[in-house]
Amino acid sequence: MQESASKKAGRDSALALAGSLFARLREGCAADWQAYTRHAFVRRLGDGSLPQACFRHYLVQDYIFLKHFARAYALAVFKSEAIEDMRQSAATLDALLNAEMSLHVRLCDGWGLSEAEMLATPEHPANMAYTRFVLERGLSGDLLDLLVALAPCVAGYAEIGLWLNADPQTRLDGNPYRDWIETYGGGDYLTVARAAVAQLDRAAGHRTGGDPASSARWPSLQLTFSSATRLEVGFWDMGLAPREP
Amino acid sequence: MQESASKKAGRDSALALAGSLFARLREGCAADWQAYTRHAFVRRLGDGSLPQACFRHYLVQDYIFLKHFARAYALAVFKSEAIEDMRQSAATLDALLNAEMSLHVRLCDGWGLSEAEMLATPEHPANMAYTRFVLERGLSGDLLDLLVALAPCVAGYAEIGLWLNADPQTRLDGNPYRDWIETYGGGDYLTVARAAVAQLDRAAGHRTGGDPASSARWPSLQLTFSSATRLEVGFWDMGLAPREP
Amino acid sequence: MQESASKKAGRDSALALAGSLFARLREGCAADWQAYTRHAFVRRLGDGSLPQACFRHYLVQDYIFLKHFARAYALAVFKSEAIEDMRQSAATLDALLNAEMSLHVRLCDGWGLSEAEMLATPEHPANMAYTRFVLERGLSGDLLDLLVALAPCVAGYAEIGLWLNADPQTRLDGNPYRDWIETYGGGDYLTVARAAVAQLDRAAGHRTGGDPASSARWPSLQLTFSSATRLEVGFWDMGLAPREP
Amino acid sequence: MQESASKKAGRDSALALAGSLFARLREGCAADWQAYTRHAFVRRLGDGSLPQACFRHYLVQDYIFLKHFARAYALAVFKSEAIEDMRQSAATLDALLNAEMSLHVRLCDGWGLSEAEMLATPEHPANMAYTRFVLERGLSGDLLDLLVALAPCVAGYAEIGLWLNADPQTRLDGNPYRDWIETYGGGDYLTVARAAVAQLDRAAGHRTGGDPASSARWPSLQLTFSSATRLEVGFWDMGLAPREP
């Protein structure tokens, strides 16, 4: 399906992307970005055709993923120089640990998955590759490197949610994944994603100045973003193949 | 002044120290611990004789200190393996960033110190020595090393507050430092300190087993605790000498 | 093929494993260890039947792997408390950066692969999963956690080399992978592996005392070792599937 | 003493400073830099009037300092993206661990100080402040932040050595500190310092582009350099006051 330019512009505007570093990085790996945000896993969430075993497999790994993402935001607090930046990352950490992970536990409970079961499941290599890549990028680089590695997940999920909500193939009635679609396509999550897009621009302002794409760090930043995007593709691939790792 | 054994036991009981790792570490550097918790700066807070310039100097450096302590708790979140441990350190981070630092700004405001002024003040070497020692210990070691480095501050301030409240030399009426004494000698702070003492024991349970003092790591843990205690002494010394660094 | 107990004992003795932490960790994940050290990739190196495209694919990824392994040994230097430990990890770092990587470049050159080509190849997710897991384990844990994460590679390759040298299925004459077999089955590499096994025991002595398997950290240490072993299996799997990542 | 502009230009030229980031950072904290490189401790090394107890005190703390500086270069290896950068920092690490520390042990031996004695001496707070500041800066920031924090020591000692060699107040005959002066004023050390100045420029090229002083990071980089310079002043102050910490 080829969507119209005006619909795409509407989503970009909803995410407040115009001129953002996130928009520029996304354009720099357009094919990978498309493979991630329009992945078969996503489409089959939208039309409800995803096998439930795939979704359960994804949910369990995503719980482990969230734990490491929370750790990455803790690292962002540590790596901040300004108190304002510390506060923003600490708020995200709090939201992940105390809201999103609890929501996740309730969601999984509805699918018959207990928290103990999730924590006892071995971590899939695709999960390890992504989470450890992000954490290590944050430790070997600076705050900007870390936030760039985090961006494909945080802002990408909002883009996926907005797209699914707008896509004529999406079916909400009777869709077992309706909660998921409405969460990531909803206003609360959009607020989270816009804050992340803005935080990335602010960090770039401190670390590269106003035009990151023309800075000496650009190739390295783009590589980090593109790598994280491909690791998101691997995460969806894992979701479609619910075998033991 | 020689206080009675029963008073000391009452304070230990208030801090829930019996058998704790914190109690054992404190005994392992008794002279340094006494030098820290009974420092002239502390005594002169208690009787109100501390020159106000000293207190202002301390307040400004303590604000910078709190920022780095918040970063250390963020690091503790990153270094945690269990979600329960992540949540506890994230709660302390939140309390530091969003309650204690705001309280501090209000307290300083009462002393005519603006937040901008505090952030523009050069960090004193005694402050750098202490905060960077703690952070680096956390990065080169594990979660237990980090929590041991943090303990003299968190639990020591409660002990100082309890002692000042009990000490006959303490004068609250008309004491310009009454707020400070009542904050650290009060029930809310005691709750914070008891939680830190318990967290330290739990981390030791995971990393050394039930008897840390007989583990192979003991000399290293004691050295970390003793070093941090001496750096607290240096922090009070700095408070008494309100020159530019 | 079922090999005799005496042959196995000979290899263990060559690696100086009796009573070592490495031996104990290896036993704790025997099936994973077998899957790694007797992997089809290894067997086909031994009998020379491995497609050359697989070996080239492996060589390129292994070059990227070595770079991150060198970084992990640099991290081990940073995380050491004793100068002797710093010196041992620095020697391994030097060997990796200045001997093994140069050897690798020459070996690859013989297979028509230039260093520039290798550095321009995208890193495979299986490679990222393994290397970043090791580095992150080293940053979130202590020196012992890091050395445990490194052990399956360092000591496992020696075990593989010794086994291939002893295996009747191995064919050296005309085997295009003879250099590889003789390198990892040779005395120089055995010396490297024995030093790593001994370093691991020394670090455990400092961090858990003389009986790590009965320490509170054992489940976590075993999980790190088992995870790294499974990531080695994933690395061989990648070698057998020489597609673009 | 007011030295001539031509002498100063000669030293700058020896250090290859023209247009370097190091030269620019040094100018940005000229008074602190003067306080460090022309400190009374330095002058009294030059004319031989420094009390020997001061020098012994300095030597012992400097041994502990070198250990942590070696750890900082290990961290620089970990934080490097390019193999060339890894190799340069690994070479410095090797030089520190295997040449400079051994030289130091021999030098101390001549002053009746054993390595065991040095390692048993408590680390002075001025030492902790400096070394932990550098290490923590490297962990919270990126490779450039770390190299900027290291620069005042590496390049400053060469400048001090060159200045002492040129200063008419310096007396070499019968000066008990002659070895020290000739080491840091000699060609071998100059080569080390020039390499560090060049490495800093290369890292800045990767992380800020060709004109770091006009980059958004400049205030933060200058603050790191100025802070490290003041911590060097504190290190000399410590040397002049050979009491127990």
Side-chain angles (χ1 to χ4, degrees), chain A residues 71 128 133 136 139-140, chain C residues 71 128 132-133 136 139-140:
Chain A
R71 296 175 62 226
M128 298 174 96
F133 171 77
E136 197 272 335
L139 284 154
S140 58
Chain C
R71 295 176 63 228
M128 297 174 98
R132 300 320 192 278
F133 170 78
E136 198 273 335
L139 285 154
S140 58

Side-chain angles (χ1 to χ4, degrees), chain A residues 223-244:
Chain A
L223 179 61
T224 296
F225 188 91
S226 306
S227 300
T229 299
R230 283 193 295 271
L231 291 163
E232 281 282 6
V233 174
F235 204 88
W236 292 138
D237 288 347
M238 171 199 76
L240 291 180
R243 302 171 297 104
E244 280 302 288

